[in-house]
Amino acid sequence: MRILAKLISIVFHPLLLTSYLLILINYYFPNMLMIAPQNFRPILAFTFCFTFLFPAINILMFKQFGTISSYSMESRQERIIPFVGISITYVVMTLLFHYKVSFSPNFNSFILLVTALVVIATVITFFYKISVHSLAMWGGIGMVMPLNKVVEQTYLIWPTALIIAAAGAVMSARLYLHAHTPRQIMVGGLVGFGIGFLGMILLF
């Protein structure tokens, strides 16, 4: 059971949220991103590098230099420096997409919203240990739910339901691994959903 909980935590790692959402939205609602089909794969690869690969390399370096004692970063204090580094990476990516390699206003707004989730999670970490897994999952749910009203067909209902089920599995896994308290997970979920949902309404 512990192995399954760890596997769920890895598969639904917060740094993978952006790539998952891009694939999901592009498949079910490509008009939202306003990206030409031939450009999607390069954009996805570029985004994956900035939102997962580069931050993951930074975390590996922090571990090697002893800045963090483990990759799980169990204490709030250990999380601050890596989270600040990740936030900087996301902000740089957002600026690049807005001013250097802009593909569409909607895609830029999407990236801005994801970056807002990361930065706010970092700010909260200065004061309170929050479940970033929960924040990321419910942030994604908050971003997808408004799309169900925009899309005339009902084919987004099942993906949305699956994401909610996955969020439940992730929250249960984090509790089983004793990575967070129920309160930390609940706060992460509420913050993530609030930012994702309100951000979609305000930006789109």
Side-chain angles (χ1 to χ4, degrees), residues 127-149:
F127 309 97
Y128 182 74
K129 182 184 177 183
I130 194 173
S131 172
V132 183
H133 275 82
S134 182
L135 183 145
M137 291 301 298
W138 282 98
I141 293 169
M143 294 170 69
V144 171
M145 283 189 70
L147 297 179
N148 283 274
K149 290 187 176 182

Side-chain angles (χ1 to χ4, degrees), residues 48-91:
F48 178 80
C49 288
F50 269 92
T51 60
F52 178 78
L53 190 60
F54 294 162
I57 291 173
N58 283 334
I59 292 174
L60 288 172
M61 292 177 62
F62 284 134
K63 179 65 170 62
Q64 291 298 316
F65 290 128
T67 306
I68 58 176
S69 59
S70 66
Y71 294 117
S72 59
M73 293 178 278
E74 296 177 2
S75 71
R76 180 187 62 81
Q77 291 79 5
E78 269 194 331
R79 293 177 168 216
I80 292 176
I81 295 178
F83 279 25
V84 169
I86 292 171
S87 292
I88 292 173
T89 302
Y90 273 67
V91 169

